[in-house]
Amino acid sequence: MRTGDLETRMRSREWFHSVKLLPGAWTIVRVDGRSFSRYTEARFDKPFDARFSALMTGTAQALLTELGGRYAYTESDEISVVLDPSFDMFGREVEKLVSLSAGTATAAFTHAAGEPAVFDARVWLGTGLDDVVDYLSWRQADAARCALNGWCYWTLRKEGRSARQTSRELDRASTSAKNEMLFARGINFNEVPAWQRRGVALWWETHEKTGHDPIRDVDVTATRRHVHIERDLPMKAPYRDLTRTLLTG
């Protein structure tokens, strides 16, 4: 069999290899930890643990850097990375983008944690900046909902209720009732750390660094980029304004 014929035949069976991101579309890659509910319960404090947040933030930074993203956001066990319309890695092939994202997150988290953990990945597409701002607002709203539920759930569990009893009680409770339940136990949900309620964001910032060129004997200025990590995000309209500014800047 001719090698060229075999190559052609084998390549033709890569059925999904040609699926690409829509031209000119904003793209968000979201990775989620696989079975992280069990993983975190056995290893970290509940409802929140700063050590786990640090692992997720470090993983988000690795993804933002690897993909050349504009903005990253992490809450709970998920990370979203915004890629602008000019993104062209792998010719915008979805298969490679998804596999690289899941692999990068898995490697970064596993290396930092010192034990295996696995992420999966998916792609979201937006036709304009408004779509992206809506997406980020949606994920932050999810962060707030999950944080309130998490505080309520683990507060009741620590009082001795079973997982089933706790879930049944919270299923019937409104948002205000959950806040009141926590307040009655000395917990003001509005005063828990902002990163728990609103998530953590990462974006690129530039700064100028002044040095001296000894050969030419002149002062020189170089521009450097670094990742800014924000743990005290605003919410609702101010958050929408922040993300819009960062993505258009």
Side-chain angles (χ1 to χ4, degrees), residues 204-211 220-227:
W204 294 100
E205 288 186 342
T206 59
H207 67 279
E208 292 186 344
K209 182 177 181 180
T210 302
V220 294
T221 301
T223 300
R224 296 284 186 267
R225 286 209 315 165
H226 72 278
V227 175

Side-chain angles (χ1 to χ4, degrees), residues 14-220:
E14 294 181 348
W15 296 108
F16 302 103
H17 198 61
S18 61
V19 178
K20 296 176 183 274
L21 303 172
L22 291 173
W26 285 85
T27 303
I28 295 177
V29 176
R30 187 166 86 240
V31 300
D32 295 87
R34 183 175 182 273
S35 301
F36 265 33
S37 293
R38 291 196 300 271
Y39 177 86
T40 57
E41 186 172 352
R43 295 166 175 81
F44 299 98
D45 296 333
K46 292 292 186 176
F48 288 92
D49 192 317
R51 296 171 298 159
F52 179 71
S53 177
L55 287 169
M56 291 299 297
T57 301
T59 303
Q61 182 166 346
L63 275 170
L64 184 68
T65 303
E66 179 67 30
L67 299 177
R70 292 285 296 274
Y71 181 87
Y73 175 79
T74 179
E75 56 106 351
S76 185
D77 66 344
E78 71 172 50
I79 300 165
S80 297
V81 180
V82 180
L83 310 174
D84 68 30
S86 66
F87 176 81
D88 196 38
M89 186 180 287
F90 304 127
R92 296 174 70 85
E93 289 185 6
V94 172
E95 183 183 55
K96 287 193 174 183
L97 175 59
V98 168
S99 61
L100 175 67
S101 300
T104 298
T106 296
F109 189 99
T110 294
H111 178 74
E115 60 180 321
V118 177
F119 287 80
D120 62 31
R122 71 200 69 186
V123 166
W124 176 96
L125 294 178
T127 58
L129 183 60
D130 287 344
D131 292 333
V132 179
V133 174
D134 284 346
Y135 172 95
L136 294 170
S137 296
W138 169 50
R139 298 324 300 153
Q140 191 184 61
D142 182 75
R145 179 184 61 80
C146 291
L148 179 59
N149 287 340
W151 267 101
C152 290
Y153 181 86
W154 288 105
T155 297
L156 294 178
R157 287 295 307 278
K158 289 173 182 178
E159 289 181 352
R161 289 174 176 80
S162 69
R164 178 173 295 182
Q165 289 172 330
T166 302
S167 296
R168 187 182 301 119
E169 184 170 342
L170 293 179
D171 283 344
R172 299 191 298 264
S174 64
T175 298
S176 60
K178 292 173 183 177
N179 275 282
E180 290 171 6
M181 184 272 283
L182 290 175
F183 193 76
R185 290 162 172 79
I187 302 168
N188 186 336
F189 182 69
N190 291 324
E191 293 180 356
V192 304
W195 62 268
Q196 298 181 14
R197 294 175 287 119
R198 304 176 187 177
V200 179
L202 303 89
W203 62 82
W204 294 100
E205 288 186 342
T206 59
H207 67 279
E208 292 186 344
K209 182 177 181 180
T210 302
H212 186 78
D213 183 343
I215 297 178
R216 294 183 296 159
D217 193 26
V218 295
D219 291 332
V220 294

